[in-house]
Amino acid sequence: MAGVGVERLQAMVRFALLVLTVCAAGAHGLYFHIGETEKRCFIEEIPDETMVIGNYRTQMWDKQKEVFLPSTPGLGMHVEVKDPDSKVVLSRQYGSEGRFTFTSHTPGDHQICLHSNSTRMALFAGGKLRVHLDIQVGEHANNYPEIAAKDKLTELQLRARQLLDQVEQIQKEQDYQRYREERFRLTSESTNQRVLWWSIAQTVILILTGIWQMRHLKSFFEAKKLV
């Protein structure tokens, strides 16, 4: 009975940590610098059938003022997303400021790459560009005020909708964790099996080598006795 209680407590702790992880890691923003036609990629762990929304805006470096200013409308930014199998999920050209959306169909690490294909940056910004990127995953990608206005939901109904979306996202995260654990187990079993077969092969080689050496030495000593 004590063992069952400990297992339940551990399960509750894991569930609480997962809730905190989903709430904390569902959305994040950052900025980075890139040069002309330079590609910058990010890895995002995404569960199966999960919507992802990315918002970005660019700033160009002003040599005279020595400060980053809003980019000109003619600047182009290309966004490419690949799934864990390296299949292209999204590949599209956007402007200096935009928003991209995609839905994952395979759980795992997705590669999100951005790069500018505009040569105007070399003339006006000295090849220096700052990109602000905000990625929202799962229920964090939902615009609840817009959903409430569209579906005419009350505050209580909207809160219930948010809770249902959070529960669904947690279930996806749990499924993804089980998927990762299964992959880790299969990899460990495969590695252990290879190590076992390699050990058996080494043992067989040592035995055969010993037998050959014994026969060779026996023939050598017999030949010496006969001389």
Side-chain angles (χ1 to χ4, degrees), residues 142-156:
N142 294 330
N143 189 342
Y144 287 106
E146 181 179 340
I147 293 175
K150 181 179 179 181
D151 297 339
K152 297 181 180 179
L153 301 178
T154 63
E155 184 177 353
L156 181 60

Side-chain angles (χ1 to χ4, degrees), residues 4-5 15 28 37 44 55 106 110 165 167 197 200 204 209 218:
V4 175
F15 183 78
H28 59 271
T37 68
E44 189 77 23
N55 295 280
T106 304
H110 286 64
D165 290 342
V167 170
W197 282 110
I200 293 174
V204 172
T209 302
K218 182 180 180 181

Side-chain angles (χ1 to χ4, degrees), residues 131-150:
V131 181
H132 297 263
L133 178 63
D134 177 44
I135 298 177
Q136 299 176 336
V137 181
E139 55 96 13
H140 294 275
N142 294 330
N143 189 342
Y144 287 106
E146 181 179 340
I147 293 175
K150 181 179 179 181

